[in-house]
Amino acid sequence: MSRSDPTWLGRYQRAMCDQAGNGQRFIEDITAKRREARRDPVNGKAPDVLHLETMRDLNIATTDAPSMEPMQLSPFEALFLNTLECLEVRDSDHHIYSHTELWQLLAVSSKQADEFALKYAAYFYYRTRGWTVKSGIKFGADFLLYSKGGPSNSHAQYSVIVRRQDTRGTVDESWQYMFALSRVCSQVRKALIVCYVDRPTAKNAGGIRKNEEATVPDLTEFQISEFLIERFNPNRK
């Protein structure tokens, strides 16, 4: 599942010497050049590999720039970077969103402000512990956890699904779903983590009331419980 627009048609036309696809460059070209540079026995890790992304090195015309893969951030990534003051978000009128305004925009647009807060609490929890956190939608999970270096250096080690703490001990998912998710994780060599998030309520001090779901919560009041799920293999010694 690519994060950018499909390029297979243009690459197929170029391979078939079709004039419509002739001369175009795609993100796959960058990937091929990176791999070629890494296999170079002389340069080893190829210190200039990052420069291969420049349009000059790929001889990409300005008109071909839209075919390049744009950087896309998930709502959780945007909020986290905005919290660290590493990201500034503007609208079409160049209005700069404050952190509270950005939270309200993303939480309300998710149509499930309460679930959004739970998942962001889990995202924040793993990011502050050194994990690189990406979307796990490809594998039916909420998040994927990568060790230091991120997706460019290794595959994800864990798939994470986020659930409310008050559903712990209840059958909120069918056994068929959990077996299927566990099987998918094992096939792609990932461990499955069920992350239970206890969201503060009006009963515990400093909680968030129902009519305040679009306000920025105090993440220090969330409690996280993790369970590692593994498939039982009777043949394994």
Side-chain angles (χ1 to χ4, degrees), residues 158-220:
Y158 299 97
S159 293
V160 180
I161 57 175
V162 181
R163 296 295 181 265
R164 299 176 62 93
Q165 178 68 26
D166 54 18
T167 63
R168 180 177 169 182
T170 63
V171 184
D172 58 333
E173 311 283 5
S174 68
W175 282 111
Q176 289 88 344
Y177 172 80
M178 292 302 296
F179 275 125
L181 186 57
S182 178
R183 181 62 179 267
V184 169
C185 291
S186 64
Q187 290 295 319
V188 293
R189 297 185 178 182
K190 295 173 178 41
L192 175 62
I193 295 177
V194 181
C195 177
Y196 288 103
V197 182
D198 186 11
R199 176 176 180 168
T201 63
K203 294 181 180 180
N204 44 16
I208 304 170
R209 295 178 177 82
K210 186 175 181 181
N211 60 352
E212 297 176 339
E213 287 184 344
T215 61
V216 181
D218 183 358
L219 296 178
T220 61

